[in-house]
Amino acid sequence: MITQKLQDAINGQIAKEIWSANLYLSMAFYFDKEGFQGFANWMKKQSQEEMEHAYTMADYIIRRGGTAEVRQIDAVPGTWDSPLEVFEHVYEHECYVSKCIDELHDMAIEEHDKATQDFLWTFIREQVEEEATASGIVDRIKKMGATAIFNLDEQYGKRV
Ligand code: MG
C-alpha cells in the first residue's frame, strides 16, 4: 500500500505530465501554423509520450492500492518567436521535470518506500534522454542557422 503523502505527490506529478503533454501539443499547433510540419509531427509524438507517463503513474498508484486523480490542468503557452525559442523552452521544461522526479524520489526515500524508488528510476533515466535530446536539437538549430532549419524539419518529420 502506498502512503497518502506519496500518492498525493505522484498525483501532482500526473498533472504535470498532462500539462507537459498539452504544452507539446500547443507547440505542435504552433509549428503546423508556421509551416513546419516535421517539427509539428515530432511535438505530437512528444505529447503522446507525456500522456503515456501519466498513464504509467496512474497505473502504478492503483496497483499499490491507492487512488489516481485527474486534477485541474493549467493553461499552456501558445506562442513563440522561433523554432529555436520553442526548443529552448522544451529543454528548460525537461530540466524542471527532472527536478520534480528527483524530489519525488527523495520523498520515496523519506517514506522508506523502495517499490516507489524503483518505479521512479525508470523516469530518472528517461529524463537524462529527454534533456539530451532537447539540448541536442537546440545545438543543431544554433549551428545550422535559419536557412538549414527546413532540413531539420524534414528530419524530425520522420519520427514515428
Ligand atoms: Mg514526462
Side-chain angles (χ1 to χ4, degrees), residues 27-28 31-46 87 137 149-160:
M27 288 171 170
F31 278 132
D32 264 332
K33 181 174 155 51
E34 295 295 315
F36 293 108
Q37 266 72 41
F39 287 139
N41 172 69
W42 192 94
M43 283 296 173
K44 284 172 191 164
K45 302 293 176 194
Q46 189 74 3
F87 282 102
I137 296 171
I149 204 152
F150 292 99
N151 294 333
L152 273 186
D153 180 56
E154 196 182 334
Q155 187 181 327
Y156 292 118
K158 291 179 182 138
R159 178 174 177 178
V160 287

Side-chain angles (χ1 to χ4, degrees), residues 13 16-17 20 24 49-51 53-54 57 94 97 101 123 126-127 130:
Q13 188 61 37
K16 287 174 186 167
E17 299 294 336
S20 301
Y24 296 146
E49 273 189 17
E50 300 304 340
M51 283 307 292
H53 297 162
M57 289 176 188
E94 289 301 332
V97 172
I101 303 278
F123 291 95
E126 165 86 11
Q127 285 309 119
E130 297 285 22

Side-chain angles (χ1 to χ4, degrees), residues 18-32 40 43-48 50-51 76-78 80:
I18 297 171
W19 192 89
S20 301
N22 289 350
L23 175 67
Y24 296 146
L25 188 60
S26 180
M27 288 171 170
F29 293 164
Y30 163 80
F31 278 132
D32 264 332
M43 283 296 173
K44 284 172 191 164
K45 302 293 176 194
Q46 189 74 3
S47 176
Q48 285 168 1
E50 300 304 340
M51 283 307 292
V76 294
W80 294 267

Side-chain angles (χ1 to χ4, degrees), residues 44-95:
K44 284 172 191 164
K45 302 293 176 194
Q46 189 74 3
S47 176
Q48 285 168 1
E49 273 189 17
E50 300 304 340
M51 283 307 292
E52 291 293 333
H53 297 162
Y55 301 156
T56 302
M57 289 176 188
D59 180 61
Y60 176 74
I61 291 174
I62 293 163
R63 279 189 292 127
R64 293 292 309 282
T67 303
E69 294 168 8
V70 179
R71 295 182 178 173
Q72 184 169 339
I73 309 300
D74 294 335
V76 294
T79 184
W80 294 267
D81 285 336
S82 65
L84 176 61
E85 193 182 275
V86 174
F87 282 102
E88 282 175 338
H89 190 171
V90 173
Y91 176 67
E92 274 171 37
H93 182 64
E94 289 301 332
C95 290

Side-chain angles (χ1 to χ4, degrees), residues 99-141:
K99 188 170 152 281
C100 294
I101 303 278
D102 283 353
E103 286 170 3
L104 274 182
H105 190 269
D106 289 344
M107 188 186 289
I109 290 170
E110 287 164 19
E111 297 285 295
H112 308 290
D113 186 334
K114 291 186 179 61
T116 299
Q117 291 168 43
D118 177 63
F119 173 71
L120 290 170
W121 270 110
T122 306
F123 291 95
I124 293 167
R125 292 190 191 98
E126 165 86 11
Q127 285 309 119
V128 173
E129 295 308 313
E130 297 285 22
E131 286 185 27
T133 301
S135 78
I137 296 171
V138 167
D139 282 350
R140 281 184 199 177
I141 292 174

